[in-house]
Amino acid sequence: MHGLTRLLTVAAACAALAGCSASPTAAPTGTSASTAPAASSAASSAASSTRTTPSAPARPAPAPRPPATPRQTLPTRDAGPAPSSYRTTVVHRGSDHPDDLVLDASGALLYSDYTNGTISRLRADGTGAVIHRGLDGPEGLVLLADGSLVVAEENTNRVLAYAPGAAAPHVLTTLPGQPVKATCHGGVDGIAWDATTHTLVVPDPVTGTIYRMSPDGSNRTALSSGFVHPVGAAVGPDGAVYVADECGGDVWRLGAGGSHTRVARASMPDDLALDGHGNLLVTDVRHTNHDVRRWPLAGGSSTVLARAGLVEPQGLLVDAAGRIYVSDDQTDVILLLTPTS
């Protein structure tokens, strides 16, 4: 979430300390509904080629395989109980402002910087190397199986893509809403990959509509509407779509016919991630909360995973080892939460 005048100010430099504590917040049960058509489309896959030798007849090519799942989309089916505690370390601290996060093909962390209009790669020594610049408010990131990097550009309300090795992006789609640089009036922020349909889920914060579209930007279809300012999105292994309504409050699961049901409480939820243990992770940028909280999708109270030193927690990412990356674009750090038990 960004605006002409920041809602939040830096209260203190980030001290990378965090812990787990049970929250008394009860499981939400409220529901709301709106109507909009729903549709999905699948990305095409490429067939493999087969070599032949003089001593043997050519073998038929293997059957086409579906595109590999992007690196940031991890197994989210029940993997047993979630960790009860984490060790928190700072993996990046600088003068840039890390926002949304994604892993590249090598497993390196990429992060957007809305303020500087850049996308950087995190080096092993904790510094960032700019790989793309000149963007007008880059936010959400998705890496496709072919190596294309999809970027949400907030100030233009466009979704862009960098082809592998390309220095400049091309436009996938321009969303209908006209953003302005003011709190709760900005453009596209978080975007998500749906591995069940090989499509992108794209909230339009300006119009309050959630879209699904093909990775090439075609077949854009409305899934749901009626949100105040939806920014974050995540998709479960069963294809369930979760949306964070930053300025309307709370996190919602989309249902049939455009309906949506509340699944987590938050004052100003920004980003979402599924942890592989049946839980939804949520960053809250409200200055009175500014935390990372874990909500069981089966119901129950939430758990605070990180709070100390956070002012405006933005990006969330869970890697294959169950480690959680959290970015804060006000204290200019990226934290790593490593399970300890």
Side-chain angles (χ1 to χ4, degrees):
M1 181 272 295
H2 297 276
L4 184 61
T5 302
R6 294 262 181 184
L7 178 67
L8 309 176
T9 57
V10 180
C14 175
L17 300 175
C20 295
S21 60
S23 165
T25 307
T29 57
T31 61
S32 174
S34 59
T35 57
S40 64
S41 59
S44 60
S45 57
S48 305
S49 60
T50 303
R51 294 181 298 173
T52 60
T53 62
S55 59
R59 294 175 294 174
R65 296 176 297 174
T69 302
R71 288 294 299 251
Q72 84 280 11
T73 304
L74 302 167
T76 52
R77 299 191 184 279
D78 185 10
S84 59
S85 62
Y86 293 83
R87 179 180 69 256
T88 303
T89 54
V90 176
V91 294
H92 173 70
R93 187 194 303 276
S95 59
D96 53 6
H97 307 283
D99 201 299
D100 281 82
L101 308 169
V102 74
L103 297 174
D104 72 6
S106 71
L109 190 70
L110 305 183
Y111 60 91
S112 59
D113 181 339
Y114 168 92
T115 303
N116 292 309
T118 58
I119 298 170
S120 298
R121 177 181 289 112
L122 185 66
R123 298 188 180 104
D125 64 359
T127 60
V130 174
I131 60 173
H132 297 298
R133 64 177 72 249
L135 293 159
D136 195 357
E139 288 277 2
L141 303 173
V142 168
L143 185 72
L144 300 180
D146 67 356
S148 297
L149 179 63
V150 180
V151 183
E153 190 175 53
E154 180 177 316
N155 294 336
T156 62
N157 215 23
R158 302 186 302 180
V159 180
L160 314 176
Y162 286 91
H170 59 277
V171 179
L172 293 182
T173 193
T174 300
L175 298 175
Q178 297 298 313
V180 295
K181 292 184 178 182
T183 300
C184 297
H185 294 281
V188 61
D189 193 316
I191 52 178
W193 175 253
D194 185 347
T196 64
T197 59
H198 299 121
T199 58
L200 291 162
V201 174
V202 183
D204 182 353
V206 186
T207 65
T209 304
I210 315 301
Y211 292 101
R212 183 191 300 282
M213 71 180 191
S214 299
D216 62 1
S218 63
N219 302 318
R220 191 180 72 203
T221 306
L223 294 177
S224 186
S225 60
F227 293 92
V228 178
H229 194 257
V231 290
V235 182
D238 57 354
V241 176
Y242 301 89
V243 175
D245 193 348
E246 180 184 53
C247 297
D250 299 331
V251 180
W252 306 80
R253 181 174 57 238
L254 303 190
S259 65
H260 43 278
T261 303
R262 184 187 293 111
V263 294
R265 299 278 188 182
S267 296
M268 294 188 74
D270 188 272
D271 203 3
L272 308 174
L274 294 154
D275 71 351
H277 301 277
N279 301 298
L280 187 68
L281 308 182
V282 183
T283 55
D284 195 329
V285 298
R286 175 79 70 182
H287 69 281
T288 55
N289 295 336
H290 50 75
D291 59 24
V292 179
R293 201 174 282 263
R294 182 172 66 199
W295 287 89
L297 290 173
S301 61
S302 65
T303 300
V304 175
L305 301 184
R307 176 179 285 161
L310 295 176
V311 173
E312 191 170 288
Q314 295 273 349
L316 273 176
L317 185 146
V318 182
D319 71 9
R323 300 178 301 178
I324 303 168
Y325 291 88
V326 182
S327 64
D328 191 311
D329 73 345
Q330 287 291 298
T331 55
D332 304 336
V333 300
I334 300 175
L335 305 181
L336 176 62
L337 281 61
T338 304
T340 57
S341 61

